[in-house]
Amino acid sequence: RKMAQHNETGKEGEEMAVLHLIKNGYNIIARNFRYKNSEIDIIAQKDKTIAFVEVKTRTTTFFQEPELSVTRSKQKQITLGTNFYIQENDIDLDTRFDIVAITLSPFRLNHIEDAFYPLV
């Protein structure tokens, strides 16, 4: 039961993140891009930059701010998927890693650009 609730919260947060990005001039290129055990929630482009976006959604900040849950190992996984995506699609644009941290109650959306640097 709890797992389903968690998935719903994640989906809801992802939808909010997509709307936020579109509203701020981004084009959504891909969602839930998977490579091996890497998943990139949103790949979005604005001008000459591609942002690989990790979305973290929490119902409350009681335990910690959502963005703090993007650990080094998670960053490594994201980097792995990103490198694959860039090579596969022959991307020649600036790239960066963003986190969109969403808290549902009270509502807060925090879009952190350049949230971390690639880890190999």
Side-chain angles (χ1 to χ4, degrees):
R1 165 114 186 96
K2 241 182 146 160
M3 187 63 190
Q5 183 65 49
H6 167 80
N7 289 345
E8 284 309 302
T9 301
K11 280 195 187 76
E12 193 181 338
E14 228 168 85
E15 290 303 320
M16 289 178 196
V18 162
L19 292 173
H20 165 80
L21 291 166
I22 291 169
K23 199 171 72 186
N24 286 281
Y26 288 83
N27 259 337
I28 306 301
I29 298 172
R31 291 177 68 174
N32 307 118
F33 174 79
R34 289 176 186 278
Y35 171 70
K36 295 191 175 169
N37 51 358
S38 169
E39 185 184 351
I40 299 162
D41 294 330
I42 303 169
I43 301 172
Q45 182 177 348
K46 185 176 183 178
D47 305 321
K48 293 186 173 0
T49 301
I50 287 199
F52 295 90
V53 184
E54 175 70 10
V55 181
K56 284 293 172 199
T57 311
R58 295 281 179 270
T59 45
T60 163
T61 53
F62 184 73
F63 296 109
Q64 69 177 32
E65 299 295 329
E67 58 272 24
L68 298 177
S69 63
V70 183
T71 59
R72 287 182 68 82
S73 68
K74 180 72 174 165
Q75 291 174 21
K76 279 185 181 165
Q77 283 183 338
I78 294 169
T79 302
L80 178 78
T82 299
N83 290 340
F84 176 79
Y85 184 87
I86 289 169
Q87 287 166 355
E88 272 299 281
N89 296 283
D90 206 17
I91 305 278
D92 188 22
L93 296 164
D94 292 334
T95 57
R96 66 166 204 250
F97 296 92
D98 290 7
I99 296 173
V100 173
I102 297 169
T103 307
L104 299 178
S105 178
F107 180 76
R108 179 185 78 115
L109 186 151
N110 184 13
H111 180 185
I112 306 159
E113 297 183 358
D114 272 322
F116 62 89
Y117 296 100
L119 291 175
V120 206

